[in-house]
Amino acid sequence: MAQAARPLSSTQSSTSDSSSGGSGLPLSFTISREVLFLCKTWTTSHASSTSRTNALIRVLDGWNTGVGEVGLPPKNPSAGYLADYDDVEAFLSEYVAYCADKRDGLPKDDPTTIIKWYLQQLYCMEPAQVRSARTFGRCGVEMALLDLQSLYTNTPPNPLVLGMDPRPAYYTVSIDTPEEMAKGTVEALQLTPFIKLKMDGEESPIRARLTAIVKALGSTGRDVTLCIDANASWSPQLALSFLVWIQQLLKGTSVRLYILEQPFPTSFPLSAEWKEVAREYKAAGVLIVADESMAVSSDLQQLLPYVHGVNIKLEKAGGYRAAANLAQLAKEQGLIVWTGTMVGSAQICWQAVQLLPFSVAGDMDGYLLTTRESQSYPKPRFHWEKQTGTISSHPSKRIQMNIKK
């Protein structure tokens, strides 16, 4: 649920809100906490949690409101999660002050020109080139401005969304007992045959979980595609022995392993053994995709010997424009692009959908992992086709607020 925002002048700060009210600018910005409750305990190799506190940035022009949601997992620098709510709020306050200092150049004509001016100030103030906590705030401001702009242009931030072919949408099952993960995977088939499974770095539990999952899937008669997300917890030896084992487990079944996500640690340089892992997995038809190690364009070069693709998240990249540029650079290097989504409301997933035209698939389940009652924006502006497990645009739907008092 979103806490009420309290407008302040651009020179003030608060734990609840920042605003350009009183700065003489035509747009005002507010920020508020959105406390989201997970449908069940969310466990990865990094941490366990039952709730998330995201940031909601709203930009108002007197007629319309644009919204940018910033996904904020528990702060963990080694996982690339560098920001919390206070970091995002501090960035917004700095941005509002920056715009106030530049207001002599502010155009006074139509709303879209004014919004473009605000976007240009953002890009001038904060080039998205290095990893930092600031990319999360930059993302929220940009997405709010692009959301407002879309109300005037009647097109999504990325117009390519309107004509894109449906993309596979993965649903994530977090770490649990073999029985619970098997149950959760079968239940997820109601949404999609594309399933992402969280795993830790313990070989025996991994095998027990996957044995139960594959057995349960066999009773459904469905063709299922898996992504295994190790969250930087594996050794090269584990990765190589796992490949041999999983090939035997899946032989003769209708279950396919497509992606192994971030098996290697986040610290570089990596050992030469990880290059062997990349070669062996590619030969077996399984692609290795970087997540925690992938944030901004400067990360690409060091990843090339170890991966076949990258998972791009808006918050880590610094917003849509930076993420789209990163996707293009990755594809030029021969990598596949995967769109990642933070846990949040339907708004955060709509933001991520803007990257899907550049991607082979994506995690579009962030809003399905939290209770609908806790979401400020629970109605998706995209279409999730449950029979095929794919996502396409649904541009006629405008998200409505569902703020709990």
Side-chain angles (χ1 to χ4, degrees):
M1 64 186 70
Q3 296 180 353
R6 299 192 300 273
L8 306 172
S9 76
S10 61
T11 58
Q12 293 176 298
S13 63
S14 165
T15 58
S16 298
D17 177 87
S18 297
S19 168
S20 59
S23 63
L25 294 171
L27 301 185
S28 61
F29 294 81
T30 67
I31 181 171
S32 58
R33 287 179 170 84
E34 182 180 38
V35 180
L36 297 142
F37 297 101
L38 290 150
C39 297
K40 61 177 295 185
T41 301
W42 181 253
T43 303
T44 72
S45 65
H46 295 310
S48 291
S49 58
T50 57
S51 66
R52 291 289 172 87
T53 299
N54 286 354
L56 282 178
I57 294 177
R58 297 183 179 90
V59 54
L60 307 90
D61 66 359
W63 296 274
N64 291 301
T65 301
V67 180
E69 182 176 355
V70 185
L72 296 169
K75 204 168 186 178
N76 183 349
S78 66
Y81 303 139
L82 305 176
D84 57 19
Y85 180 87
D86 291 341
D87 294 313
V88 177
E89 183 182 46
F91 180 90
L92 178 60
S93 294
E94 184 179 339
Y95 170 71
V96 167
Y98 181 90
C99 290
D101 288 342
K102 303 289 184 180
R103 63 174 173 259
D104 289 345
L106 179 65
K108 303 187 183 302
D109 41 10
D110 66 281
T112 57
T113 303
I114 293 172
I115 294 168
K116 288 179 181 177
W117 180 88
Y118 274 88
L119 286 167
Q120 189 58 44
Q121 304 318 303
L122 178 66
Y123 302 145
C124 289
M125 175 187 127
E126 191 71 17
Q129 297 173 343
V130 297
R131 282 173 173 257
S132 79
R134 297 172 65 81
T135 63
F136 287 70
R138 185 187 194 275
C139 172
V141 171
E142 184 190 42
M143 296 316 298
L145 287 166
L146 291 176
D147 194 48
L148 180 62
Q149 180 175 263
S150 71
L151 296 178
Y152 289 101
T153 63
N154 201 31
T155 58
N158 181 4
L160 295 176
V161 166
L162 297 178
M164 74 173 182
D165 294 329
R167 297 294 198 273
Y170 280 70
Y171 181 87
T172 308
V173 178
S174 74
I175 295 173
D176 209 323
T177 64
E179 296 75 20
E180 285 300 311
M181 289 193 73
K183 178 183 176 183
T185 302
V186 171
E187 290 174 348
L189 293 181
Q190 299 175 47
L191 296 169
T192 178
F194 303 101
I195 310 293
K196 174 181 280 193
L197 302 170
K198 295 286 189 179
M199 293 289 165
D200 55 21
E202 299 296 324
E203 186 166 15
S204 180
I206 289 172
R207 293 189 178 192
R209 294 180 191 119
L210 281 164
T211 298
I213 289 167
V214 172
K215 181 180 179 181
L217 290 175
S219 65
T220 68
R222 298 281 300 275
D223 292 328
V224 179
T225 301
L226 298 180
C227 165
I228 292 178
D229 188 356
N231 287 119
S233 65
W234 287 14
S235 67
Q237 293 77 22
L238 173 55
L240 291 170
S241 65
F242 173 81
L243 180 60
V244 175
W245 178 81
I246 195 68
Q247 287 176 308
Q248 289 299 314
L249 180 68
L250 299 183
K251 185 178 292 186
T253 74
S254 58
V255 180
R256 170 200 178 204
L257 177 59
Y258 175 41
I259 296 287
L260 174 61
E261 187 172 350
Q262 190 77 32
F264 45 81
T266 57
S267 57
F268 276 76
L270 297 177
S271 70
E273 294 169 294
W274 285 111
K275 295 180 182 179
E276 180 187 357
V277 171
R279 289 192 297 267
E280 292 295 326
Y281 271 73
K282 186 172 184 180
V286 181
L287 303 182
I288 294 181
V289 171
D291 180 4
E292 285 89 340
S293 296
M294 180 73 262
V296 295
S297 57
S298 58
D299 295 325
L300 273 176
Q301 202 61 38
Q302 67 179 359
L303 285 168
L304 290 177
Y306 310 104
V307 303
H308 313 113
V310 289
N311 183 331
I312 298 176
K313 291 186 172 74
L314 287 167
E315 287 89 345
K316 291 164 64 179
Y320 167 70
R321 184 175 179 179
N325 180 62
L326 176 54
Q328 182 60 38
L329 292 173
K331 293 171 77 170
E332 289 173 359
Q333 296 287 349
L335 301 175
I336 68 161
V337 172
W338 186 284
T339 297
T341 311
M342 300 292 193
V343 172
S345 73
Q347 172 69 18
I348 210 167
C349 293
W350 170 242
Q351 292 169 184
V353 165
Q354 308 311 308
L355 295 180
L356 276 184
F358 313 126
S359 309
V360 298
D363 310 321
M364 296 292 113
D365 57 351
Y367 76 109
L368 297 172
L369 302 173
T370 60
T371 63
R372 183 179 177 86
E373 294 75 21
S374 65
Q375 296 181 39
S376 298
Y377 298 90
K379 297 183 180 181
R381 273 186 279 179
F382 51 86
H383 178 62
W384 185 306
E385 175 53 58
K386 294 180 181 179
Q387 187 170 3
T388 60
T390 57
I391 278 184
S392 57
S393 64
H394 203 332
S396 63
K397 285 191 176 182
R398 172 64 182 160
I399 289 179
Q400 299 176 2
M401 290 192 64
N402 184 36
I403 292 183
K404 301 298 180 182
K405 301 299 184 183

